[in-house]
Amino acid sequence: MGNEITAAYKAKPAELFISDVKWKFLNYCVLQGKNVLITGPAGSGKTVTIKQIAEAYKAEHPFFYINCGSTQDPRSTFIGNTHYDKSAGTFFSQSYFVKAIQIPNAIILLDEISRAHPEAWNILMSVLDINQRYLRLDEEVDSPTVEVAEGITFMATANIGNEYTSSRTMDKGLLDRFLQIEMEVLNLDEEYALLQTYFPNAEKRSLHVIAQIAERTRKEVQSHSPKISFSISTRTTLEMARLLENGFTLAEAAEILIYPAYDPVGGNDSERTFVKQLAQKYL
Ligand SMILES: Nc1ncnc2c1ncn2[C@@H]1O[C@H](COP(=O)(O)OP(=O)(O)OP(=O)(O)O)[C@@H](O)[C@H]1O
Ligand SMILES: [Mg+2]
């Protein structure tokens, strides 16, 4: 590691399961103001990873969160709105995003950028481009431009891959403006360790069963001809453990949280039947 990064490197939080090299790389992105995109399946820890790195640097780097997936109107989210007031007349109010990009050293999370409206991607192009770094407020009179302040790190998350037909296919130009890392799929030991970290008082055998079922679905999805289209996420394994803590049995937790997620079409050949049979081996 470069001296500067070694000196400024923040320790990885115990509850975050990500490889050391990826954590180191995220430290580098913050310290160097790089645009970074984290990809991976739903519930694999993309958002929590960025929140953790932002938390680690909050003393030096103010954090701003934009949920791109929920924006109905990209122009008002990324630029602002024109209002009318009897005394003030017509005036323009800058969005939260416009304010954020003017704060030096800010970390700005563009969460679920893969779900953003294509118009949002267009607006972000010049902001993210290392040679441009400006935003044109074309909603305002004379369309002034706002420069992106020094030291800003844009961090984004995206669901990209064949599992995610609901997300739009991201624009190549936009993707090109980010360094990318992929969330890793946790193996059995890692998933079990994660569950134990979050639920230290839970029955170990049950947590291990949850981790085993999740791992089987993960292996299946990565196999040559998978019988299911997505695997059980860490978000789901944590929810299952939470049900156990609240008096549910493993079978009940599976019935509530696993089976309904899988397609029942096809009866005995359906994804749901496959997952039920897989889970029942462990229950
Ligand atoms: N690798 C991980 N380390 C620690 N916690 C994790 C990890 N993966 C998932 N989690 C936990 O699972 C839950 C879901 O994680 P998170 O919201 O970050 O997923 P995501 O990848 O952003 O999903 P989505 O694509 O649906 O937004 C959180 O409670 C988080 O703490
Ligand atoms: Mg997320």
Side-chain angles (χ1 to χ4, degrees), residues 46-48 111-112 157 235:
K46 301 181 295 293
T47 303
V48 84
D111 207 13
E112 306 197 12
T157 71
R235 175 182 288 131

Side-chain angles (χ1 to χ4, degrees), residues 23-86:
W23 180 255
K24 178 171 150 186
F25 181 69
L26 290 168
N27 275 261
Y28 158 83
C29 291
V30 170
L31 295 167
Q32 300 286 328
K34 298 286 186 190
N35 301 333
V36 61
L37 174 71
I38 305 191
T39 62
S44 62
K46 301 181 295 293
T47 303
V48 84
T49 296
I50 295 179
K51 287 190 170 167
Q52 291 283 6
I53 190 90
E55 178 67 24
Y57 282 95
K58 70 177 176 194
E60 309 95 325
H61 298 265
F63 178 61
F64 297 87
Y65 175 87
I66 313 269
N67 186 338
C68 302
S70 69
T71 58
Q72 293 301 320
D73 177 3
R75 307 198 68 79
S76 77
T77 304
F78 291 101
I79 299 176
N81 287 301
T82 308
H83 299 281
Y84 177 77
D85 180 277
K86 261 200 200 125

Side-chain angles (χ1 to χ4, degrees), residues 15 17 41-48 112 159 194 198 234-235 238:
E15 64 275 21
F17 284 69
S44 62
K46 301 181 295 293
T47 303
V48 84
E112 306 197 12
N159 284 344
L194 181 148
Y198 281 80
T234 297
R235 175 182 288 131
L238 286 168

Side-chain angles (χ1 to χ4, degrees), residues 76-194:
S76 77
T77 304
F78 291 101
I79 299 176
N81 287 301
T82 308
H83 299 281
Y84 177 77
D85 180 277
K86 261 200 200 125
S87 53
T90 307
F91 66 96
F92 176 77
S93 66
Q94 295 184 346
S95 67
Y96 171 79
F97 179 71
V98 173
K99 290 177 187 144
I101 64 172
Q102 296 174 81
I103 312 281
N105 301 318
I107 296 175
I108 302 177
L109 168 52
L110 300 167
D111 207 13
E112 306 197 12
I113 198 168
S114 48
R115 289 179 204 273
H117 192 279
E119 169 122 38
W121 299 342
N122 282 333
I123 296 169
L124 289 170
M125 286 294 201
S126 63
V127 176
L128 296 168
D129 190 318
I130 204 64
N131 297 315
Q132 298 185 40
R133 299 293 255 189
Y134 68 79
L135 176 62
R136 189 175 298 285
L137 305 183
D138 53 12
E139 299 281 306
E140 200 175 347
V141 193
D142 300 333
S143 313
T145 55
V146 172
E147 304 258 330
V148 176
E150 281 300 303
I152 291 203
T153 304
F154 289 100
M155 297 194 145
T157 71
N159 284 344
I160 296 178
N162 53 6
E163 284 184 37
Y164 317 108
T165 41
S166 65
S167 309
R168 304 174 206 250
T169 310
M170 270 181 75
D171 184 274
K172 278 272 179 296
L174 190 70
L175 279 178
D176 227 37
R177 285 164 167 71
F178 288 98
L179 297 167
Q180 287 186 37
I181 58 172
E182 198 179 11
M183 279 316 287
E184 49 239 61
V185 180
L186 301 187
N187 66 27
L188 176 62
D189 292 344
E190 291 162 338
E191 191 75 22
Y192 180 47
L194 181 148

